[in-house]
Coordinates of all heavy atoms in Angstrom, one line a residue:
L28 N -0.7 13.8 -11.6 CA -1.1 12.8 -12.7 C -2.6 12.7 -12.7 O -3.3 13.2 -11.9 CB -0.4 11.5 -12.5 CG -0.6 10.7 -11.3 CD1 -1.9 10.0 -11.1 CD2 0.6 9.7 -11.1
L29 N -3.1 12.1 -13.8 CA -4.5 11.9 -14.0 C -4.8 10.5 -13.6 O -4.3 9.5 -14.2 CB -4.8 12.1 -15.5 CG -6.4 12.3 -15.8 CD1 -7.0 13.4 -15.2 CD2 -6.6 12.3 -17.4
G30 N -5.7 10.3 -12.6 CA -6.0 9.0 -12.2 C -7.2 9.0 -11.1 O -7.7 10.0 -10.8
D31 N -7.6 7.8 -10.9 CA -8.7 7.7 -9.9 C -8.1 7.7 -8.4 O -7.4 6.7 -8.1 CB -9.4 6.3 -10.1 CG -10.7 6.1 -9.3 OD1 -10.6 6.5 -8.1 OD2 -11.7 5.8 -9.9
S32 N -8.3 8.7 -7.7 CA -7.6 8.9 -6.4 C -7.9 7.8 -5.4 O -7.1 7.2 -4.7 CB -8.0 10.2 -5.8 OG -9.4 10.4 -5.7
D33 N -9.2 7.4 -5.4 CA -9.7 6.3 -4.4 C -9.0 5.0 -4.8 O -8.5 4.3 -4.0 CB -11.2 6.2 -4.4 CG -11.9 7.3 -3.8 OD1 -11.3 8.1 -3.0 OD2 -13.1 7.6 -4.2
K34 N -9.0 4.6 -6.1 CA -8.4 3.3 -6.5 C -6.9 3.3 -6.3 O -6.4 2.3 -5.8 CB -8.7 3.1 -7.9 CG -10.2 3.1 -8.3 CD -11.0 2.0 -7.7 CE -12.4 1.8 -8.2 NZ -13.2 3.0 -8.0
L35 N -6.2 4.4 -6.6 CA -4.8 4.5 -6.5 C -4.4 4.5 -5.0 O -3.3 3.9 -4.6 CB -4.2 5.7 -7.2 CG -4.1 5.6 -8.7 CD1 -3.7 7.0 -9.3 CD2 -3.3 4.5 -9.2
A36 N -5.2 5.1 -4.2 CA -5.0 5.1 -2.8 C -5.0 3.7 -2.2 O -4.2 3.2 -1.4 CB -5.9 6.0 -2.0
R37 N -5.9 2.9 -2.8 CA -6.0 1.5 -2.4 C -4.8 0.7 -2.8 O -4.3 -0.1 -2.1 CB -7.3 0.9 -3.1 CG -7.6 -0.5 -2.5 CD -8.9 -1.1 -3.0 NE -9.2 -2.3 -2.3 CZ -10.2 -3.1 -2.6 NH1 -11.1 -2.6 -3.5 NH2 -10.4 -4.2 -2.1
V38 N -4.2 1.1 -4.0 CA -3.0 0.4 -4.5 C -1.9 0.6 -3.5 O -1.3 -0.4 -3.1 CB -2.6 1.0 -5.9 CG1 -1.3 0.5 -6.2 CG2 -3.5 0.6 -6.9
F39 N -1.6 1.9 -3.2 CA -0.5 2.2 -2.3 C -0.7 1.7 -0.9 O 0.1 1.2 -0.1 CB -0.2 3.7 -2.2 CG 0.2 4.2 -3.6 CD1 -0.5 5.0 -4.4 CD2 1.5 3.8 -4.2 CE1 -0.1 5.5 -5.6 CE2 1.8 4.1 -5.5 CZ 1.1 5.0 -6.2
S40 N -2.0 1.7 -0.4 CA -2.4 1.2 0.9 C -2.1 -0.3 1.0 O -1.5 -0.7 1.9 CB -3.8 1.6 1.3 OG -4.1 1.1 2.5
N41 N -2.5 -1.0 0.0 CA -2.4 -2.5 -0.1 C -0.8 -2.8 0.0 O -0.4 -3.8 0.6 CB -3.0 -3.1 -1.2 CG -4.5 -3.1 -1.2 OD1 -5.0 -2.9 -0.1 ND2 -5.2 -3.4 -2.3
I42 N 0.0 -2.1 -0.9 CA 1.4 -2.5 -1.0 C 2.1 -2.1 0.3 O 3.0 -2.8 0.8 CB 2.0 -1.9 -2.2 CG1 1.3 -2.5 -3.5 CG2 3.5 -2.1 -2.3 CD1 1.8 -2.0 -4.8
I43 N 1.8 -0.8 0.8 CA 2.5 -0.5 2.0 C 2.1 -1.4 3.2 O 2.9 -1.7 4.0 CB 2.1 1.0 2.3 CG1 2.7 2.0 1.3 CG2 2.6 1.4 3.8 CD1 2.1 3.3 1.4
K44 N 0.8 -1.7 3.3 CA 0.4 -2.7 4.3 C 1.2 -4.1 4.2 O 1.6 -4.5 5.2 CB -1.1 -3.0 4.2 CG -1.7 -3.9 5.2 CD -3.1 -4.1 5.0 CE -3.7 -5.1 6.1 NZ -5.2 -5.4 5.8
N45 N 1.4 -4.5 2.9 CA 2.2 -5.7 2.7 C 3.6 -5.5 3.2 O 4.2 -6.4 3.9 CB 2.2 -6.0 1.2 CG 2.8 -7.4 0.9 OD1 2.2 -8.5 1.1 ND2 4.1 -7.3 0.5
A46 N 4.2 -4.4 3.0 CA 5.6 -4.1 3.4 C 5.7 -4.0 4.9 O 6.6 -4.5 5.4 CB 6.0 -2.7 2.8
V47 N 4.7 -3.4 5.6 CA 4.7 -3.4 7.0 C 4.5 -4.7 7.7 O 5.3 -5.1 8.5 CB 3.5 -2.4 7.5 CG1 3.3 -2.4 9.0 CG2 3.7 -1.0 7.1
N48 N 3.7 -5.5 7.0 CA 3.4 -6.9 7.7 C 4.5 -7.8 7.5 O 4.8 -8.6 8.4 CB 2.1 -7.6 6.9 CG 0.8 -6.9 7.5 OD1 0.8 -6.3 8.5 ND2 -0.2 -7.0 6.6
Y49 N 5.3 -7.7 6.4 CA 6.3 -8.7 6.2 C 7.7 -8.1 6.4 O 8.7 -8.9 6.1 CB 6.2 -9.2 4.7 CG 5.0 -10.1 4.5 CD1 3.8 -9.6 3.9 CD2 5.1 -11.4 4.8 CE1 2.7 -10.5 3.8 CE2 4.0 -12.2 4.7 CZ 2.8 -11.7 4.1 OH 1.7 -12.6 3.9
S50 N 7.8 -6.9 6.9 CA 9.3 -6.4 7.1 C 9.7 -6.8 8.5 O 8.9 -7.3 9.3 CB 9.2 -4.8 7.1 OG 8.2 -4.4 8.0
L51 N 11.0 -6.8 8.7 CA 11.6 -7.2 10.0 C 11.2 -6.3 11.0 O 10.8 -5.0 10.8 CB 13.1 -7.2 9.8 CG 13.7 -8.2 8.8 CD1 15.2 -8.1 8.7 CD2 13.4 -9.7 9.2
D52 N 11.2 -6.7 12.3 CA 10.9 -5.9 13.5 C 11.8 -4.7 13.6 O 13.1 -4.8 13.3 CB 10.9 -6.8 14.7 CG 9.9 -7.8 14.8 OD1 8.9 -7.7 14.0 OD2 10.1 -8.8 15.5
S53 N 11.3 -3.6 13.9 CA 12.1 -2.3 14.2 C 12.8 -1.9 12.9 O 14.0 -1.4 13.0 CB 13.0 -2.5 15.3 OG 12.3 -2.9 16.5
S54 N 12.3 -2.2 11.7 CA 13.0 -1.8 10.5 C 12.4 -0.6 9.9 O 11.3 -0.1 10.2 CB 13.0 -3.0 9.5 OG 11.7 -3.3 9.2

């Protein structure tokens, strides 16, 4: 796709980080 790689990387990094922080242990 056509996009800003740095900015989109930040999008996925932020959301994945959120998922890691708020997910259950050992999940």
Side-chain angles (χ1 to χ4, degrees):
L28 56 80
L29 192 66
D31 188 314
S32 56
D33 292 335
K34 303 294 190 303
L35 286 176
R37 188 172 186 183
V38 168
F39 295 115
S40 180
N41 287 348
I42 295 177
I43 293 170
K44 182 180 179 182
N45 185 81
V47 171
N48 286 339
Y49 288 97
S50 58
L51 297 174
D52 293 339
S53 305
S54 62

